[in-house]
Amino acid sequence: MNRDAVVELVGAGYAYEDGPAVLSGVDFAVPEGRAIALLGRNGSGKTTMLRLLSGGLRCGSGRLRLHGEDVAYDRAGLTRLRTTVQLVVQDPDDQLFAASVAQDVSFGPMNLGLSEDEVRARVDEALDALDITALADRPTHLLSYGQRKRAAIAGAVAMRPRVLILDEPTAGLDPHGQERLLEVLDRLRASGTTVVMATHDVDLALRWADDAAVLTPDGLRTGPVGELLADGALLDAARLRRPWGMAVTRVLRDHGLLPPDVPGPRTPEALEAWATTVRGA
């Protein structure tokens, strides 16, 4: 058990009715202040893990712990969990249901029994954090896909969670929409929110995350993102491709262009900046 974890799965397993085990013996701790990418192929159990962490599913075996204590799956226990951990699902249409954006974002805080002023303050804060204040009165069915994604995240942010869990948040977004979403996540992290993101995009994980958790048929491996995504055998086992940044770094080192103690570029922009520095040296 990890004493520094905000939320933690300990020996967790889960199987859907009449099906084989999706997860077995999973240990996964979410420490405060880290950006964590959960990686795995489709069907590897990423979404199941996220639902176990957020209390949407109950461990078939093992335990879910919050601040070092086992989570009780009664009303009080789940309320305590969900004021600390919030999950945003992959499809925003599965999460948005109110007539307008502001009404949808206010739903969670209202269910906490907060005063009207406090609910309004949380809604305003969440809309501002996601840069959608101008959409407050917009009907949710008239939003673009990217706007619906941000509105769904705003509903979670309004709960002021310490841990925000996102299931494939960039899926379906064009490059501009992805960049805007990553800017939002950077602001949330700067304000103290720990973010866990499930994805199969290894380039995104290398660029964005501090740590990675990689699901393979043999279990879960965790560690610094650069270390795990440099492990070819692990990526093969998880059926993930090599990250672009790792391939570039390997070529530069093989040609003696990048010293072993200098981190490699993780994005094309970082490669361009490195090349400009080398040319100017």
Side-chain angles (χ1 to χ4, degrees), residues 5-62:
V6 179
V7 63
E8 179 181 17
L9 291 170
V10 181
Y14 189 82
Y16 291 95
E17 188 174 356
D18 298 326
V22 179
L23 298 170
S24 178
V26 169
D27 294 318
F28 180 58
V30 180
E32 195 160 22
R34 305 293 286 175
I36 304 172
L38 175 60
L39 291 153
R41 63 177 177 81
N42 289 339
S44 62
K46 298 191 301 296
T47 296
T48 300
M49 243 181 90
L50 300 187
R51 292 188 180 276
L52 291 175
L53 279 169
S54 62
L57 295 175
R58 184 170 183 169
C59 296
S61 59

Side-chain angles (χ1 to χ4, degrees), residues 225-242:
V225 66
E227 177 183 310
L228 263 60
L229 295 187
D231 188 332
L234 176 65
L235 296 179
D236 288 343
R239 298 184 186 177
L240 297 170
R241 65 177 179 81
R242 271 64 169 172

Side-chain angles (χ1 to χ4, degrees), residues 17 19 43 69 110 118 132 147 169 190 205 207 228 230 233 243 256 268 276 279:
E17 188 174 356
E69 298 180 3
M110 286 179 63
E118 176 65 14
I132 54 173
Q147 289 170 338
R207 167 188 175 182
L228 263 60
T276 299
R279 284 196 299 265

Side-chain angles (χ1 to χ4, degrees), residues 25-276:
V26 169
D27 294 318
F28 180 58
V30 180
E32 195 160 22
R34 305 293 286 175
I36 304 172
L38 175 60
L39 291 153
R41 63 177 177 81
N42 289 339
S44 62
K46 298 191 301 296
T47 296
T48 300
M49 243 181 90
L50 300 187
R51 292 188 180 276
L52 291 175
L53 279 169
S54 62
L57 295 175
R58 184 170 183 169
C59 296
S61 59
R63 294 171 291 162
L64 174 65
R65 294 173 65 84
L66 181 67
H67 304 306
E69 298 180 3
D70 288 0
V71 170
Y73 289 87
D74 54 19
R75 183 181 180 88
L78 290 174
T79 297
R80 179 171 175 258
L81 175 66
R82 288 166 185 165
T83 55
T84 305
V85 180
Q86 279 286 303
L87 168 66
V88 180
V89 300
Q90 180 175 345
D91 187 346
D93 294 332
D94 290 338
Q95 200 150 340
L96 301 174
F97 60 89
S100 72
V101 171
Q103 288 175 343
D104 203 279
V105 174
S106 71
F107 179 79
M110 286 179 63
N111 278 350
L112 294 178
L114 302 175
S115 69
E116 185 175 332
D117 287 345
E118 176 65 14
V119 170
R120 187 179 299 111
R122 289 196 180 205
V123 170
D124 291 345
E125 175 185 277
L127 294 176
D128 180 65
L130 275 294
D131 194 25
I132 54 173
T133 299
L135 303 178
D137 298 322
R138 183 80 60 86
T140 54
H141 70 277
L142 294 181
L143 300 176
S144 70
Y145 188 77
Q147 289 170 338
R148 296 201 301 278
K149 283 263 191 181
R150 283 187 283 155
I153 296 173
V157 169
M159 298 291 286
R160 293 183 181 168
R162 291 177 63 185
V163 178
L164 179 64
I165 300 176
L166 306 170
D167 191 3
E168 300 282 358
T170 60
L173 297 179
D174 61 23
H176 177 68
Q178 290 186 25
E179 290 302 317
R180 292 198 68 182
L181 179 58
L182 292 178
E183 290 171 3
V184 165
L185 296 184
D186 285 343
R187 290 199 298 272
L188 292 174
R189 288 187 61 200
S191 69
T193 303
T194 296
V195 182
V196 179
M197 177 196 297
T199 182
H200 58 263
D201 186 337
V202 290
D203 293 321
L204 172 63
L206 181 63
R207 167 188 175 182
W208 172 81
D210 301 314
D211 303 315
V214 181
L215 275 166
T216 75
D218 295 325
L220 182 73
R221 273 266 308 274
T222 60
V225 66
E227 177 183 310
L228 263 60
L229 295 187
D231 188 332
L234 176 65
L235 296 179
D236 288 343
R239 298 184 186 177
L240 297 170
R241 65 177 179 81
R242 271 64 169 172
W244 174 92
M246 289 299 184
V248 169
T249 297
R250 184 169 60 250
V251 170
L252 293 176
R253 295 203 202 286
D254 288 348
H255 287 77
L257 298 173
L258 188 69
D261 58 338
V262 176
R266 295 190 176 194
T267 64
E269 293 78 12
L271 178 61
E272 290 176 0
W274 172 84
T276 299

